[in-house]
Amino acid sequence: MIQDLTENIIALSTPQGVGAIGVIRLSGPGIIEISDRFFKGRNLTKVEGNTVHYGKIVDESDRIIDECVATVFRAPRSYTKEDVIEFSCHGSPYILDQVIQLFLRHGVRMAQAGEFTLRAFLNGQMDLSQAEAVADLIASDNAASHEIAMRQMRGGFSDEIKQLRQELIEFASLIELELDFGEEDVEFADRSKLQGLVEKIKSVINRLLESFQLGNVIKNGVTTVIAGRPNAGKSTLLNALLNEERAIVSDIAGTTRDTIEESLNIKGIQFRLIDTAGIRKAQDEIERIGVDRTIEKIGSSSIVIYVFDVIESSPEQLWSDIDRFLEGSKVLTAGSKRIFIANKMDLNPYIRPEDYYRDGLISTDNLITASAKNKMNIDYIKDKIYDTVIGDPTMMQQTIVTNSRHYDALRKSDEALEAVLRGLSDGTTGDFIALDIRQSLHHLGEITGDISTDDLLDSIFSNFCIGK
Amino acid sequence: MFPEYDVIVVGAGHAGCEAAVAAANMGSKVLLATMNMQTIAQMSCNPAMGGVAKGQIVREIDALGGYSGIVTDHTMVQFRMLNKSKGPAMWSPRAQSDRMLFAAKWREMLEANENIDFWQEMVKGLIVKDGRCQGVMTSIGLEIRAKSVVLTNGTFLNGLIHIGEKQLGGGRAGERAATGITEQLVDLGFESGRMKTGTPPRIDGRSLDYSKMEIQAGDERPAKFSFTDTPDLKKQLPCHVSYTSPEVHDTLKEGFDRSPMFNGRIRGLGPRYCPSIEDKINRFAERDRHQLFVEPEGWNTCEIYVNGFSSSLPEDVQYKALRKVAGFENMKMFRPGYAIEYDFFPPTQLWPSLETKLVQNLFFAGQINGTTGYEEAACQGLMAGINAHLKVTEEDPFILKRSDAYIGVLIDDLVNKGTKEPYRMFTSRAEYRILIRQDNADLRLTPIATALGMQHMEERIERVHEKEAAMKKIEKYLSKTSVSPDQVNGWLKQIGSSPLKQSVKLQTVLSRPKVHIEDLTNLIPEFQELINDIPADFVESAEVNLKYSGYLTKEQEMVEKMNRLENLILKDNFEYDKIESLSAEAREKLNHIKPRTLGQASRISGVSPSDISVLLVHVGR
């Protein structure tokens, strides 16, 4: 899609993933005013160019998203020769995503691949040889990103959008038929049917939009929390999975006071492993904070690995812990997957795993006996974690939107469809409804790369007998 | 015998007549060459002007100083504003004309123009020197010189008529074909193609039983096409509607083995939206009836045009089948329908000015470019005539954007996408149809044509100024004046609209669905007084602007986005081959079309958005 050079654009300028800081760059004519609305600190619209300011980024309801440093560049003294803001935030993918989403909601759109550089050229910052390199970059980037988009999630996303677009074209052609051939003897689909179709398309788009959260999770790592009673061997398991001494381990219960996060790649899928403080009635204030944080982490995780000590925990003890700490506090949401690790098997090899089974909660499918200390069954645990993601239809088979640009296009498409529904319920005439349908089609086309309206007439001519 | 003309127009159909008038009114000395002066401005097919999207074009032609609207207003026998139940973008004027009066009025208006000379003879070739067209050669060997030439040959180039198994060389029923031009153009390097169109039988109205048909009358208060002061339509003729039946279809099917459509004798591609009756029953076998419009050919004739029954089946099959239609039992035929194949030149060989890329000072307009329809032809003629003149005076070509007019959409589609079937205008082809309506054609285009130097625009431009002032007055009143709940809640309840909670501006009330400006005049006497002296169509345009301002703004924003690309100029000698990051297909297409702007490039099929990004980089700003 050709991008409008007077629009405000945003992108993450540092690599995806966890880092010390993440830099978000924004460029465009109105970008300082927009940024200032969500920046608590100096008034950015009043500051000089090439200056740096400490402050907080807040959302619409004044909730603080992050503390950050804003660097202000004023046109033409910037990379793009436009007004530019760079926010240096904490390097959490979640925070960075929240900041980007905030601006996407307020008139800023995702930058295309190479677009900052493209603007730099168009505004006379670069010479032609440099620009040609950019042109190649854009071309290759587009091809590559298209290929990735196609492959992504086994092509489900792209196919689904194409199908939606096709249905919408058929819908639009019914309206166009009415407009261009209203004088002829053609039957028109009734409005309630049309409304049903738009609602259906909208619900699919909304599902795609919701899956965006999940999609980001896959891209930045599936959050996987290791939980359990103190001294169950959680940190030992983390070290074993990472194959390094990351967490301090000791025999003293409650060694881990705060959560520790580490990345683990299993067969190409990124997991964010979070070791947590053991869950028990806290002995002191610091531990209490740690326990609270653990419960919070479990609540927002996709996978929970619950570790228990086969020596300390009888089946009854385990079940009651789960009821008390997890089910009771309702932090184990339906969406999260659970793996139970019967740890310290080396100390009592005669334990029968089936004694721990419990209907609908613990079974041979999700209980693994292990010894983290002796690295027993660690590879098997990794396989289990991997299968949990791959085997879950809600995570894999459903289409997942992972690209913010796609998200943006879907959202705009959804807005246009909302206007269509409004029009249908107000009894607005077809020419206006068609305008909104076209907008929606246009945005879906930004994803599939197909934006011609010739499809409409083709659809009409092949389906209806037209012509006096 | 001849002076050197500024512009020679070859052909005097809808395209040729408008071309001659446009060039002449721009100030050129024009020669209009036609094979037969008795058939100037013939309506070869149905006796009607306008219709959905086409009516908008006629209004635009009129706003630009063309004559099609004036001629139609003087000669119509019925007027209807189509699609009145839909939004204002869809309102489309359509008129039935008296075929003979139409041609006579055109000839009268052409003859009244001192800048136009006439010559009756077939043009069989062009004088081309150094890649520039310098005149024409006629069948008796005359050479007539001109600085520019406009070809509007219609269906005459190697025209071939099919009726069943019979084939006749000819450009129209009873008229011979034109030869020589295609062959010469192909020698010069032009690509040519073949297209097909058709026309239904003409029959004797005295032999019909109208009591068995539905009647379709004209509007009670007929409007007009022209923005000038043409006469009001006082009396109207009705049309009638009847239907085919399974019996009719079966009779037609008996002739399928002798149909040139189905036995492969016709090779040219016909329009999908104007199929012959045999095509309709073949492709849509599930439909047991098709609508037929029974249209009078004029005030003083019993000749009837059977709209919807275009056919190239043998005349006996047409006759037998038609007699099975309700009301047609005793039908007498004047002449059968026929199909006609003719040469056209894929329009991607033209610049947006309609000048050919291969031969300078040579312009094409009408069916020669692969279009169909009087209106489509006429507007191309107008544009070619203007540009032929501008070429002579060495001025920049006159090009309308897609957001300016349907005419802009039409020419932009032709030169960038070409066409495989005869091209007809539809409103759905226009991205910005809410902005380019029939009611504002004058506001959009009359000032442009006046500034361009088109003569005889005084009446039109004065009316534009009056209209603008009146609209401003209305818009100001409605956007400044408040109305209280007491004043309107009773009426709002009546029409099923939710009551007001507090006072609002009248414009807010007007923007509700189901609310019309007449409602406000009834409620607010002061407003009634304000618009008392304002013509109804001015009030209507003001209403549209206010009522739909949200949609208008939305489209305007889209236009502005697009126009930024339209303002980025690509040089003619741009070396696309050297840009490796362009796709191979894009390079080939861009070399062929040679777009003038980046916006134009973006509409060429095969040029992808990433190709445009690449070009954007190379063009810079």
Side-chain angles (χ1 to χ4, degrees):
Chain A
M1 192 47 223
I2 309 140
Q3 294 301 347
D4 185 337
L5 299 170
T6 67
E7 287 178 353
N8 296 303
I9 55 173
I10 187 169
L12 180 63
S13 292
T14 44
Q16 286 278 359
V18 185
I21 60 164
V23 176
I24 292 169
R25 182 187 274 165
L26 301 96
S27 181
I31 208 64
I32 294 180
E33 288 71 23
I34 296 175
S35 299
D36 185 60
R37 280 161 59 197
F38 302 105
F39 182 80
K40 289 284 164 290
R42 286 284 297 278
N43 182 339
L44 297 181
T45 63
K46 299 256 165 68
V47 303
E48 299 267 310
N50 294 328
T51 54
V52 176
H53 310 275
Y54 165 80
K56 295 185 181 73
I57 296 184
V58 297
D59 68 10
E60 298 88 341
S61 49
D62 267 351
R63 190 176 64 92
I64 295 169
I65 299 177
D66 194 19
E67 289 177 42
C68 73
V69 168
T71 313
V72 178
F73 303 91
R74 285 191 181 274
R77 293 178 60 204
S78 74
Y79 180 64
T80 57
K81 286 205 160 189
E82 299 169 344
D83 285 346
V84 167
I85 298 261
E86 286 180 1
F87 288 119
S88 303
C89 302
H90 290 101
S92 142
Y94 177 77
I95 288 173
L96 295 169
D97 189 50
Q98 291 288 301
V99 175
I100 290 173
Q101 295 294 330
L102 171 69
F103 285 101
L104 289 183
R105 287 195 297 271
H106 293 278
V108 181
R109 68 163 171 78
M110 284 303 291
Q112 301 274 20
E115 193 171 1
F116 287 104
T117 312
L118 176 65
R119 287 188 175 200
F121 167 72
L122 293 177
N123 294 321
Q125 187 81 304
M126 270 189 272
D127 68 21
L128 192 64
S129 63
Q130 285 171 300
E132 278 177 355
V134 179
D136 282 331
L137 177 80
I138 291 168
S140 68
D141 241 32
N142 279 0
S145 63
H146 189 65
E147 203 178 322
I148 289 166
M150 293 304 258
R151 275 203 223 139
Q152 210 169 32
M153 301 303 136
R154 300 168 189 158
F157 178 51
S158 175
D159 285 350
E160 201 152 354
I161 294 292
K162 272 195 182 139
Q163 199 192 327
L164 282 184
R165 199 169 169 274
Q166 196 50 47
E167 287 190 41
L168 203 53
I169 282 173
E170 274 160 32
F171 171 69
S173 71
L174 287 175
I175 296 273
E176 297 291 351
L177 178 75
E178 226 176 81
L179 297 174
D180 269 331
F181 304 97
E183 289 302 301
E184 306 194 13
D185 192 21
V186 287
E187 283 168 34
F188 303 127
D190 64 80
R191 293 287 151 133
S192 60
K193 259 192 198 159
L194 297 182
Q195 188 174 337
L197 180 58
V198 174
E199 274 164 2
K200 185 186 134 202
I201 294 173
K202 254 184 103 336
S203 79
V204 177
I205 288 182
N206 280 317
R207 184 169 55 69
L208 288 170
L209 282 171
E210 278 161 22
S211 75
F212 183 65
Q213 293 291 341
L214 192 56
N216 249 349
V217 159
I218 297 240
K219 203 155 152 192
N220 298 324
V222 182
T223 38
T224 307
V225 165
I226 303 174
R229 284 190 145 254
N231 213 14
K234 298 178 294 295
S235 300
T236 314
L237 179 65
L238 175 77
N239 289 344
L241 287 169
L242 295 172
N243 205 16
E244 62 176 296
E245 298 304 308
R246 173 64 183 80
I248 301 165
V249 290
S250 77
D251 292 337
I252 303 161
T255 306
T256 306
R257 292 290 181 107
D258 198 358
T259 55
I260 296 173
E261 295 195 17
E262 274 302 321
S263 263
L264 172 66
N265 190 308
I266 307 174
K267 298 185 211 171
I269 292 188
Q270 202 69 17
F271 291 85
R272 204 144 54 89
L273 285 185
I274 303 167
D275 183 20
T276 60
I279 306 170
R280 64 171 176 183
K281 205 163 183 324
Q283 309 291 310
D284 56 42
E285 179 64 13
I286 294 171
E287 193 181 354
R288 192 187 62 74
I289 295 170
V291 171
D292 285 353
R293 200 169 287 187
T294 298
I295 291 177
E296 190 187 313
K297 282 287 176 192
I298 293 170
S300 63
S301 67
S302 300
I303 299 173
V304 177
I305 299 174
Y306 190 87
V307 184
F308 62 93
D309 178 339
V310 291
I311 305 298
E312 295 287 321
S313 296
S314 64
E316 293 73 23
Q317 176 78 53
L318 173 68
W319 299 338
S320 111
D321 283 353
I322 290 170
D323 285 346
R324 232 171 81 220
F325 294 122
L326 304 181
E327 301 292 334
S329 58
K330 294 204 170 79
V331 288
L332 266 187
T333 54
S336 65
K337 303 293 155 195
R338 303 153 210 185
I339 297 169
F340 294 91
I341 309 291
N343 196 22
K344 305 191 186 176
M345 284 296 284
D346 53 319
L347 299 181
N348 184 356
Y350 302 106
I351 287 287
R352 288 169 9 125
E354 49 274 32
D355 291 344
Y356 289 92
Y357 291 173
R358 192 175 172 194
D359 275 357
L361 187 64
I362 306 172
S363 71
T364 176
D365 287 341
N366 63 358
L367 178 66
I368 300 167
T369 55
S371 165
K373 198 171 159 193
N374 296 342
K375 302 213 161 69
M376 179 190 125
N377 267 356
I378 294 301
D379 283 342
Y380 183 57
I381 294 172
K382 284 188 186 174
D383 286 349
K384 198 79 202 168
I385 297 172
Y386 177 80
D387 289 346
T388 305
V389 174
I390 294 300
D392 178 1
T394 62
M395 284 176 148
M396 285 305 285
Q397 283 168 11
Q398 281 194 13
T399 298
I400 296 174
V401 183
T402 55
N403 184 320
S404 288
R405 209 173 301 137
H406 290 172
Y407 179 79
D408 208 26
L410 282 174
R411 206 171 44 78
K412 284 184 181 153
S413 184
D414 187 52
E415 276 171 18
L417 288 177
E418 191 59 48
V420 172
L421 284 180
R422 241 189 344 261
L424 283 173
S425 75
D426 286 352
T428 304
T429 54
D431 39 346
F432 297 112
I433 289 175
L435 171 63
D436 289 318
I437 297 176
R438 283 180 186 207
Q439 292 236 302
S440 181
L441 273 178
H442 173 85
H443 293 303
L444 290 182
E446 284 182 331
I447 299 173
T448 61
D450 187 7
I451 48 176
S452 153
T453 52
D454 294 344
D455 308 354
L456 287 178
L457 284 170
D458 280 338
S459 174
I460 290 177
F461 296 146
S462 54
N463 292 317
F464 302 97
C465 180
I466 298 303
K468 291 178 174 177
Chain B
M1 190 174 161
F2 297 101
E4 188 197 18
Y5 287 100
D6 294 318
V7 178
I8 293 176
V9 177
V10 181
H14 304 270
C17 289
E18 287 289 4
V21 159
N25 283 343
M26 288 294 289
S28 274
K29 287 282 173 202
V30 178
L31 178 73
L32 181 57
T34 170
M35 291 164 77
N36 183 353
M37 285 189 63
Q38 309 314 312
T39 56
I40 285 176
Q42 274 298 300
M43 297 179 123
S44 322
C45 204
N46 66 334
M49 283 295 269
V52 180
K54 291 161 166 276
Q56 280 86 333
I57 291 180
V58 178
R59 297 279 273 173
E60 290 177 354
I61 291 171
D62 188 75
L64 287 166
Y67 288 179
S68 289
I70 298 174
V71 170
T72 306
D73 285 351
H74 277 276
T75 61
M76 59 191 175
V77 301
Q78 187 198 77
F79 181 95
R80 287 168 63 214
M81 186 65 85
L82 306 183
N83 272 341
K84 200 64 193 185
S85 64
K86 306 195 172 85
M90 301 313 303
W91 301 344
S92 307
R94 182 181 191 274
Q96 296 291 138
S97 265
D98 181 308
R99 181 195 304 278
M100 284 183 280
L101 283 183
F102 186 92
K105 182 70 190 176
W106 248 119
R107 181 159 168 177
E108 177 195 322
M109 291 192 75
L110 289 165
E111 288 178 7
N113 197 312
E114 287 176 358
N115 276 346
I116 301 177
D117 290 352
F118 299 84
W119 184 250
Q120 173 172 310
E121 205 197 329
M122 185 173 91
V123 167
K124 71 167 180 42
L126 303 168
I127 305 168
V128 178
K129 246 192 205 136
D130 305 326
R132 181 181 292 268
C133 187
Q134 300 181 348
V136 300
M137 288 173 300
T138 72
S139 57
I140 58 166
L142 297 174
E143 289 198 357
I144 313 174
R145 301 268 158 185
K147 298 191 182 94
S148 286
V149 171
V150 182
L151 288 186
T152 69
N153 305 70
T155 58
F156 280 72
L157 292 178
N158 295 313
L160 184 63
I161 291 173
H162 298 261
I163 305 172
E165 288 163 312
K166 302 181 189 76
Q167 292 186 7
L168 315 155
R172 195 156 46 202
E175 294 176 53
R176 67 194 173 107
T179 52
I181 291 178
T182 304
E183 294 72 11
Q184 186 190 8
L185 288 174
V186 169
D187 281 347
L188 284 166
F190 282 89
E191 184 196 336
S192 78
R194 228 33 197 156
M195 273 187 178
K196 173 241 151 186
T197 188
T199 194
R202 309 298 196 276
I203 61 175
D204 187 338
R206 297 171 301 180
S207 64
L208 298 179
D209 181 355
Y210 290 107
S211 68
K212 293 184 178 165
M213 306 179 199
E214 296 163 15
I215 191 162
Q216 191 175 54
D219 285 355
E220 258 171 56
R221 278 183 301 171
K224 295 187 297 187
F225 278 99
S226 180
F227 294 102
T228 64
D229 191 21
T230 48
D232 291 329
L233 184 59
K234 297 261 161 52
K235 199 174 78 178
Q236 300 190 65
L237 290 176
C239 293
H240 290 83
V241 179
S242 191
Y243 295 90
T244 62
S245 62
E247 219 189 337
V248 176
H249 297 181
D250 289 343
T251 312
L252 287 167
K253 281 180 198 157
E254 285 168 23
F256 275 16
D257 55 334
R258 289 189 285 155
S259 157
M261 285 277 298
F262 298 139
N263 64 19
R265 212 170 307 127
I266 292 180
R267 281 184 300 275
L269 198 60
R272 286 175 295 177
Y273 40 79
C274 193
S276 59
I277 187 71
E278 52 267 36
D279 210 16
K280 283 190 231 180
I281 58 179
N282 189 41
R283 280 178 53 209
F284 298 94
E286 74 283 1
R287 296 196 51 164
D288 54 11
R289 68 172 205 177
H290 294 278
Q291 217 172 8
L292 299 179
F293 294 84
V294 178
E295 302 180 354
E297 293 253 345
W299 296 111
N300 304 313
T301 174
C302 64
E303 190 172 346
I304 292 292
Y305 176 93
V306 190
N307 200 342
F309 205 81
S310 163
S311 179
S312 58
L313 287 168
E315 64 286 350
D316 56 307
V317 179
Q318 296 183 27
Y319 180 79
K320 231 170 101 186
L322 257 189
R323 278 203 153 205
K324 297 197 164 143
V325 173
F328 285 60
E329 293 81 1
N330 300 310
M331 182 272 301
K332 290 181 190 168
M333 194 179 270
F334 284 172
R335 59 182 166 90
Y338 61 85
I340 180 163
E341 282 186 288
Y342 54 95
D343 294 336
F344 82 108
F345 296 87
T348 51
Q349 302 174 94
L350 302 174
W351 297 116
S353 63
L354 298 178
E355 185 183 17
T356 69
K357 288 171 186 166
L358 271 173
V359 177
Q360 281 197 57
N361 298 60
L362 176 64
F363 296 79
F364 289 174
Q367 279 164 307
I368 192 173
N369 289 336
T371 61
T372 173
Y374 308 148
E375 304 81 359
E376 287 84 349
C379 75
Q380 289 173 67
L382 172 88
M383 296 301 281
I386 292 173
N387 282 319
H389 169 86
L390 294 173
K391 185 76 183 186
V392 172
T393 54
E394 294 177 359
E395 290 168 82
D396 286 340
F398 175 49
I399 293 160
L400 289 168
K401 290 199 282 279
R402 299 181 76 87
S403 52
D404 291 332
Y406 276 92
I407 300 173
V409 174
L410 183 138
I411 294 175
D412 189 73
D413 275 351
L414 288 180
V415 303
N416 292 318
K417 295 180 185 158
T419 184
K420 291 196 178 66
E421 66 187 328
Y423 180 103
R424 173 181 146 186
M425 184 48 72
F426 298 106
T427 68
S428 58
R429 295 197 197 269
E431 302 74 348
Y432 315 115
R433 63 183 161 200
I434 298 174
L435 294 176
I436 53 174
R437 305 181 311 272
Q438 58 87 25
D439 73 275
N440 68 3
D442 54 343
L443 303 179
R444 287 183 278 126
L445 301 173
T446 299
I448 304 179
T450 309
L452 203 59
M454 183 68 77
Q455 292 157 27
H456 311 303
M457 297 298 283
E458 299 78 9
E459 187 189 343
R460 289 178 174 98
I461 195 76
E462 200 176 301
R463 194 177 179 276
V464 164
H465 293 147
E466 281 168 26
K467 186 168 172 179
E468 280 170 341
M471 287 171 65
K472 214 177 218 167
K473 198 163 135 192
I474 296 170
E475 288 168 25
K476 192 173 159 199
Y477 181 82
L478 293 179
S479 63
K480 294 261 160 77
T481 312
S482 293
V483 66
S484 67
D486 302 349
Q487 279 173 287
V488 292
N489 275 356
W491 156 72
L492 283 175
K493 201 179 160 197
Q494 261 176 37
I495 62 165
S497 199
S498 56
L500 295 183
K501 294 198 179 72
Q502 62 200 44
S503 290
V504 295
K505 298 282 183 269
L506 277 167
Q507 184 182 354
T508 315
V509 179
L510 181 61
S511 61
R512 290 186 173 197
K514 289 185 261 180
V515 175
H516 299 286
I517 205 159
E518 306 93 77
D519 301 325
L520 302 182
T521 55
N522 294 341
L523 286 164
I524 321 274
E526 185 189 36
F527 181 54
Q528 172 70 56
E529 209 161 291
L530 180 96
I531 65 166
N532 247 347
D533 302 329
I534 300 177
D537 56 330
F538 293 7
V539 177
E540 200 168 79
S541 286
E543 174 178 15
V544 171
N545 272 1
L546 288 170
K547 190 166 172 63
Y548 304 104
S549 62
Y551 286 101
L552 289 166
T553 310
K554 218 187 267 185
E555 260 191 14
Q556 193 58 49
E557 281 167 7
M558 288 158 69
V559 169
E560 274 156 25
K561 233 175 182 176
M562 190 62 217
N563 280 354
R564 285 189 201 112
L565 285 179
E566 298 296 336
N567 295 336
L568 297 176
I569 305 293
L570 292 165
K571 291 195 193 92
D572 283 354
N573 56 4
F574 201 98
E575 292 178 278
Y576 298 103
D577 285 332
K578 292 206 172 152
I579 307 176
E580 288 184 3
S581 23
L582 288 174
S583 70
E585 189 187 359
R587 259 180 277 172
E588 189 203 317
K589 290 278 177 65
L590 289 163
N591 267 327
H592 176 58
I593 305 279
K594 295 191 176 67
R596 289 258 154 110
T597 68
L598 214 54
Q600 194 191 338
S602 72
R603 294 188 294 275
I604 300 171
S605 58
V607 176
S608 72
S610 67
D611 293 323
I612 295 301
S613 303
V614 170
L615 284 180
L616 204 52
V617 169
H618 283 271
V619 172
R621 271 219 281 214

